[in-house]
Amino acid sequence: MDILYVTSEAAPFCKTGGLADVLGSLPPAVAAGGDRAAVILPLYGQVSDAWREKMRWLGYTYVVLAWRHEYCGLFSLEYRGVVWYFLDNERYFRRGALYGQMDDGERFAFFSKAVVSVLPMLEWRPEGIHCNDWQTALVPIYLKTVAENVSTVFTIHNIEYQGKYGADTVEDLFGLNRGDWYESGVLQMDGCVNLMKGAMVTADAVTTVSPTYAAQLRESAYAAGLDSVVRSIQWKFSGVLNGIDVVSYDPECDPDLPARYTAAESEGKTLCKAALQQELGLAQEEGTPILSMVTRLVGHKGVDLVCQALDGIMATGCQLVVLGSGDGGYENFFRHAQNRYPGRLCAWIGYNEGLSRRIYAGSDLFLMPSKSEPCGLSQMIAMRYGAVPIVRQTGGLNDTVRSCQVGQSDGNGYVFAAYDAGAMLDTIGQAVGLYHGDAEGFRFYEDDHGRIVRQFLVPMEERSTKAAIDLLERYGIDALLCGTIDENERIAVGTAGLMLFPGYVGEADEAALRFLSGSIVSDPNNHCNACGFKGACSLKDKGGCGK
């Protein structure tokens, strides 16, 4: 399948958070599986000269956005088996930051319209376009305005950021017919324009980044006002677990670490811990567990619980490392706390990619007490580097961390349910207690075959690949694509190199999106006339379409 990913950021070119990690690793994984993948994103000023020197000039066009007539240049480069397209307009994209500008609505409306405008200039025509978050939400809508016959997926990475604007922006800012797109209800939500809602209604399929988060978004407590919209599109809505790039995040060859290690040879992790303590001014105590957080210092990340329970956390005898930035009140709290606990607490306010990796490698425990967490990548990275996650049971944390507190042989972390400082503190106490009382048991477990393996260094993609294969063996690939599986079983699983999306088939659209990633490739030479699946459909004996 030929897939074009549309994103406002992607590593390693430009990054502010997890969206860049996902869009930097998923397309190469899809390409490695046999599909053809390309990514299109803005050419920000933050894209380094080293990348610009590798780009090829493809041409330019002018983008019409309401009354505006704006230049748009198109550049490309190849990296990791993927074609990366960059849209150039210095007025919109050469700014001090990727987001947070007063004209973000206009900037990303231009970007979305430009994506549609340059489609004829691309090296090949995509069968499916995968849009991500509100910055790309207008792409499915602009495609409809020019009658482009291409299927679209829209992924919600965080529903709290929706792209809300006044009702007067429909025509003047976004260049859309008010009657067709606002008064019809497509873009209208609570008296204003809501770009995310527009994409959810218009796209052929809608996904979010974990199965649990997909279920939670039906509830008003999690959906930031869009729960009614989520419930209305259940027929095309699925949760697909994000993953990490295990090539980049690999303690065996990570250049940012002072020592390398693997599950079989873990001495390097002890060296990384000692180096981290020295780098951050912590006491050089090998037997003291390091508890860390790499996070944005904002409310929904559960930082308030840490503030409430800080003295209790430190009373467990651990060392605490916090890396992140965000709300000024939280930043100042941790600066002050560092002074209260010299040699035992380090707060690094800001972000540093290399330091974050050294923190993962040097930590024994990793804390994510989130109030809400669409998916979360940090807990996966922590496990990749051998740090035990302590998480609240919500969103993607619930899908990736299995409790070892109740004796499961496949437990891989510590979990608490209530959003409560006391519950979090009790769980931290359990983890620190086991660390002191049974250090070997803390790091090893016996698998289903009686083998003693190192628990928290097992790459997550091994477990996800097995789950995806189990799903295929149980139902067959045709059932996944034809959408004949029970809703709970349709949930796709995947990390790192294998992300398996459920098929979406429109009632009267044979070309509706069949979205496969990873190691499973569709056959372009055959298709099922009933369900649109490209490949011989074998559902006749399985209660499926039978055509």
Side-chain angles (χ1 to χ4, degrees):
M1 188 173 187
D2 297 337
I3 307 168
L4 176 66
Y5 295 88
V6 186
T7 180
S8 58
E9 60 179 274
F13 309 105
C14 48
K15 174 180 174 180
T16 66
L19 175 65
D21 285 326
V22 173
L23 270 296
S25 58
L26 174 59
V30 169
D35 291 298
R36 190 156 54 169
V39 183
I40 191 165
L41 67 159
L43 182 58
Y44 296 109
Q46 287 79 359
V47 178
S48 69
D49 289 340
W51 288 116
R52 291 172 183 264
E53 290 172 1
K54 299 177 181 179
M55 293 180 187
R56 182 163 57 99
W57 164 255
L58 297 181
Y60 71 94
T61 187
Y62 282 90
V63 176
V64 177
L65 185 66
W67 47 268
R68 303 164 192 82
H69 193 66
E70 294 286 345
Y71 160 85
C72 178
L74 180 64
F75 294 83
S76 74
L77 63 82
E78 292 190 18
Y79 173 66
R80 295 183 65 184
V82 175
V83 178
W84 303 80
Y85 294 107
F86 296 86
L87 298 183
D88 175 41
N89 181 297
E90 293 196 353
R91 187 167 81 84
Y92 286 132
F93 300 136
R94 187 171 285 277
R95 304 287 183 91
L98 271 60
Y99 313 121
Q101 310 296 306
M102 291 186 64
D103 60 345
D104 275 358
E106 181 178 338
R107 295 172 67 223
F108 291 108
F110 166 81
F111 172 60
S112 297
K113 191 66 175 293
V115 168
V116 176
S117 300
V118 301
L119 286 179
M121 301 170 62
L122 304 186
E123 296 174 23
W124 43 265
R125 179 180 176 81
E127 296 175 79
I129 296 180
H130 186 174
C131 305
N132 296 271
D133 269 350
W134 77 264
Q135 293 91 346
T136 67
L138 282 165
V139 172
I141 292 174
Y142 286 141
L143 285 169
K144 296 290 185 183
T145 64
V146 294
E148 281 283 352
N149 186 24
V150 58
S151 299
T152 54
V153 168
F154 178 72
T155 294
I156 302 167
H157 293 262
N158 191 331
I159 205 166
E160 293 186 16
Y161 305 98
Q162 300 174 5
K164 296 181 181 180
Y165 296 93
D168 57 338
T169 61
V170 178
E171 295 176 324
D172 183 70
L173 183 59
F174 303 127
L176 294 168
N177 182 280
R178 183 181 179 90
D180 292 343
W181 296 103
Y182 184 76
E183 294 175 1
S184 66
V186 174
L187 286 168
Q188 185 176 167
M189 192 73 189
D190 298 327
C192 69
V193 169
N194 188 307
L195 300 183
M196 180 171 283
K197 181 201 173 183
M200 292 167 69
V201 172
T202 307
D204 294 304
V206 181
T207 70
T208 191
V209 291
S210 72
T212 297
Y213 191 58
Q216 289 176 327
L217 291 186
R218 302 173 188 174
E219 306 171 15
S220 59
Y222 292 94
L226 289 178
D227 50 298
S228 62
V229 181
V230 172
R231 291 192 296 270
S232 73
I233 61 167
Q234 282 301 301
W235 57 278
K236 62 175 182 177
F237 183 60
S238 300
V240 181
L241 192 64
N242 270 345
I244 62 171
D245 184 344
V246 295
V247 175
S248 173
Y249 292 109
D250 185 357
E252 186 175 8
C253 54
D254 192 329
D256 288 311
L257 304 188
R260 314 292 189 269
Y261 58 95
T262 66
E265 299 178 358
S266 60
E267 294 78 9
K269 185 165 177 63
T270 301
L271 298 176
C272 286
K273 178 177 180 177
L276 181 68
Q277 289 173 323
Q278 182 176 19
E279 179 179 1
L280 300 182
L282 300 174
Q284 297 285 116
E285 299 171 355
E286 181 181 344
T288 298
I290 295 179
L291 172 67
S292 64
M293 297 180 70
V294 178
T295 184
R296 285 182 292 124
L297 299 178
V298 293
H300 77 267
K301 291 293 186 180
V303 181
D304 56 323
L305 299 186
V306 180
C307 294
Q308 294 171 37
L310 180 66
D311 292 334
I313 293 172
M314 303 310 296
T316 66
C318 69
Q319 296 177 342
L320 179 63
V321 174
V322 178
L323 170 64
S325 61
D327 293 348
Y330 291 134
E331 291 181 355
N332 290 331
F333 175 89
F334 285 108
R335 289 190 183 101
H336 177 64
Q338 180 176 247
N339 295 330
R340 291 176 55 208
Y341 293 99
R344 294 191 56 213
L345 191 157
C346 176
W348 207 98
I349 305 303
Y351 184 74
N352 182 290
E353 178 70 20
L355 176 58
S356 73
R357 291 170 180 252
R358 293 191 292 277
I359 290 173
Y360 288 122
S363 297
D364 301 290
L365 300 163
F366 190 84
L367 179 61
M368 291 184 71
S370 305
K371 180 180 293 184
S372 65
E373 192 67 61
C375 179
L377 300 181
S378 295
Q379 79 279 12
M380 303 183 197
I381 300 170
M383 287 187 279
R384 179 70 167 146
Y385 283 75
V388 182
I390 302 173
V391 305
R392 181 171 171 265
Q393 194 173 26
T394 187
L397 301 178
N398 182 59
D399 296 315
T400 54
V401 181
R402 298 178 298 280
S403 172
C404 62
Q405 294 136 283
V406 291
Q408 297 110 305
S409 62
D410 66 343
N412 60 3
Y414 287 80
V415 178
F416 63 97
Y419 190 74
D420 176 79
M424 179 191 71
L425 184 57
D426 286 345
T427 307
I428 294 173
Q430 293 174 32
V432 173
L434 180 59
Y435 179 91
H436 286 305
D438 183 11
E440 289 303 303
F442 182 80
R443 299 187 183 281
F444 291 89
Y445 79 99
E446 184 174 308
D447 70 6
D448 295 336
H449 301 284
R451 299 173 300 182
I452 302 300
V453 297
R454 185 166 295 273
Q455 181 168 9
F456 300 104
L457 290 176
V458 178
M460 287 198 63
E461 80 279 8
E462 294 180 11
R463 297 191 289 269
S464 298
T465 300
K466 180 180 183 299
I469 292 172
D470 288 345
L471 199 62
L472 282 174
E473 289 178 346
R474 190 182 319 159
Y475 295 104
I477 188 171
D478 302 338
L480 287 173
L481 291 175
C482 294
T484 59
I485 297 175
D486 175 82
E487 179 181 351
N488 292 326
E489 297 288 356
R490 290 177 63 241
I491 294 172
V493 293
T495 62
L498 179 61
M499 295 189 73
L500 180 64
F501 288 73
Y504 160 65
V505 180
E507 293 181 358
D509 183 10
E510 183 177 295
L513 186 60
R514 298 160 308 280
F515 210 89
L516 276 180
S517 308
S519 62
I520 302 161
V521 187
S522 58
D523 179 356
N525 299 317
N526 300 293
H527 71 275
C528 170
N529 291 325
C531 65
F533 168 47
K534 282 188 175 179
C537 185
S538 59
L539 289 175
K540 186 172 184 179
D541 298 326
K542 301 178 184 179
C545 74
K547 305 294 185 182

